[in-house]
């Protein structure tokens, strides 16, 4: 079974604090993704990475950065949190694009972040 | 542009009743289509996926979905729901761009009436 784990399930931070969210997958997937989930908006892609040290912006990258130093690990960084970053953050991983089963994304359990 | 629409924000059905969750998509070619389920406080779990071939796809937990190209739809069905099916359901389509990115619908929350 594919396993995607996230470092924290719940976090409470104050405005302006720095936050690291870490995601680890054990299936040797090349692709990794960070989403945020808000009621009524579904999942929105923040950043993704298709290889070590490679990253691309998703649909809502503002206020976020990422790091991928090892294949299995993808970190989301909030340099200076704001209240509008209160959300559920989901990490996912998949094999490279090439059609077929490789397109399936596997998700971690999520981190619920509250910024006060 | 690629997009996914789930027109029903919230649906309530009685336990044992049949279920159909709607999903419509806009995509320039033959899409890959997915349904995911999210239980409260959890991540997303893949229910089923369509890539090619038979347009009726069977998934886990007794769910199925039918790809209808003419209607640009991929509706999820279950003949008899159980209380444990209460969750949020997301339809997704992809890939887009150069990577395996997929677009998610806004979700349908399913409640089960005892």
């Amino acid at each position: 079974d594919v396993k995607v784990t996230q470092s924290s399930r719940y976090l409470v931070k104050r405005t302006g604090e720095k936050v690291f969210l870490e995601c680890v997958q054990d299936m040797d997937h090349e692709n990794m993704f960070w989403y945020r989930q808000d009621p009524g908006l579904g999942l929105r892609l923040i950043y993704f990475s298709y290889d070590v040290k490679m990253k691309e912006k998703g649909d809502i990258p503002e206020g976020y950065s990422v790091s991928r130093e090892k294949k299995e690990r993808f970190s989301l960084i909030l340099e200076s949190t704001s209240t509008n970053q209160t959300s559920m953050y989901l990490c996912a991983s998949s094999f490279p694009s090439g059609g077929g089963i490789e397109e399936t994304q596997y998700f971690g359990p999520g981190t619920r972040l509250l910024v006060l | 542009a690629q997009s996914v629409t789930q027109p029903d924000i919230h649906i309530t059905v009685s336990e044992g009743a049949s279920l159909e969750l709607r999903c419509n998509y806009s995509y320039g070619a033959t899409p890959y289509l997915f349904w995911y389920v999210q239980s409260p406080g959890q991540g997303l779990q893949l229910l089923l996926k369509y890539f090619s071939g038979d347009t009726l796809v069977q998934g886990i937990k007794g769910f199925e979905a039918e790809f209808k190209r003419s209607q640009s739809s991929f509706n999820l069905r279950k003949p008899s729901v159980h209380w444990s099916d209460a969750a949020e359901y997301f339809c997704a389509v992809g890939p887009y761009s150069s990577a395996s990115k997929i677009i998610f619908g806004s979700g349908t929350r399913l409640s089960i009436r005892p």
Side-chain angles (χ1 to χ4, degrees), chain A residues 9 37 97 99-100 103-105, chain B residues 32 36 38 41 51 90 100:
Chain A
R9 294 299 304 274
Q37 181 184 12
S97 179
E103 307 299 341
T104 301
Q105 293 189 13
Chain B
Y32 298 150
Y36 284 85
Q38 184 181 33
F51 292 141
F90 292 93
S100 300

Side-chain angles (χ1 to χ4, degrees), chain B residues 8-107:
Chain B
D8 303 307
I9 296 172
H10 184 204
I11 284 181
T12 300
V13 300
S14 297
E15 190 167 16
S18 63
L19 171 71
E20 183 168 28
L21 301 182
R22 297 183 291 165
C23 173
N24 293 97
Y25 66 88
S26 173
Y27 194 80
T30 300
Y32 298 150
L33 294 157
F34 308 83
W35 274 100
Y36 284 85
V37 61
Q38 184 181 33
S39 298
Q42 303 298 314
L44 274 68
Q45 181 184 19
L46 182 69
L47 277 177
L48 48 78
K49 55 185 180 283
Y50 170 80
F51 292 141
S52 64
D54 193 346
T55 56
L56 185 61
V57 180
Q58 302 298 320
I60 62 171
K61 305 186 182 189
F63 286 91
E64 66 178 25
E66 186 170 13
F67 170 52
K68 293 186 177 180
R69 185 189 303 275
S70 61
Q71 298 177 19
S72 297
S73 70
F74 189 57
N75 294 348
L76 182 71
R77 301 194 293 247
K78 186 169 184 178
S80 176
V81 297
H82 186 262
W83 63 266
S84 60
D85 294 324
E88 188 145 24
Y89 292 80
F90 292 93
C91 181
V93 65
Y96 73 98
S97 186
S98 57
S100 300
K101 297 197 290 185
I102 58 178
I103 300 172
F104 288 86
S106 55

Side-chain angles (χ1 to χ4, degrees), chain A residues 42-90:
Chain A
L43 276 72
R44 293 179 291 167
L45 183 64
I46 304 172
Y47 267 96
F48 70 99
S49 168
Y50 50 90
D51 203 348
V52 175
K53 297 191 185 295
M54 306 301 286
K55 60 186 179 185
E56 279 197 29
K57 294 179 180 179
D59 302 315
I60 51 164
E62 295 79 18
Y64 304 94
S65 62
V66 291
S67 172
R68 187 138 181 229
E69 297 297 320
K70 293 185 177 181
K71 190 176 185 180
E72 68 272 17
R73 201 175 297 264
F74 191 36
S75 300
L76 180 69
I77 304 153
L78 291 71
E79 290 287 345
S80 177
T81 50
S82 61
T83 54
N84 63 13
Q85 292 179 310
T86 291
S87 187
M88 173 76 130
Y89 291 87
L90 292 164

Side-chain angles (χ1 to χ4, degrees), chain A residues 23-41:
Chain A
C23 175
V24 178
Q25 50 92 6
D26 66 357
M27 276 302 290
D28 205 33
H29 285 167
E30 273 79 0
N31 297 332
M32 295 189 76
F33 307 82
W34 275 107
Y35 295 90
R36 66 175 281 175
Q37 181 184 12
D38 300 288
L41 298 178

Side-chain angles (χ1 to χ4, degrees), chain A residues 7-23:
Chain A
S7 51
S8 304
R9 294 299 304 274
Y10 302 95
L11 279 176
V12 180
K13 295 292 180 182
R14 297 206 175 273
T15 303
E17 286 190 280
K18 189 171 185 175
V19 175
F20 286 92
L21 302 181
E22 192 166 73
C23 175

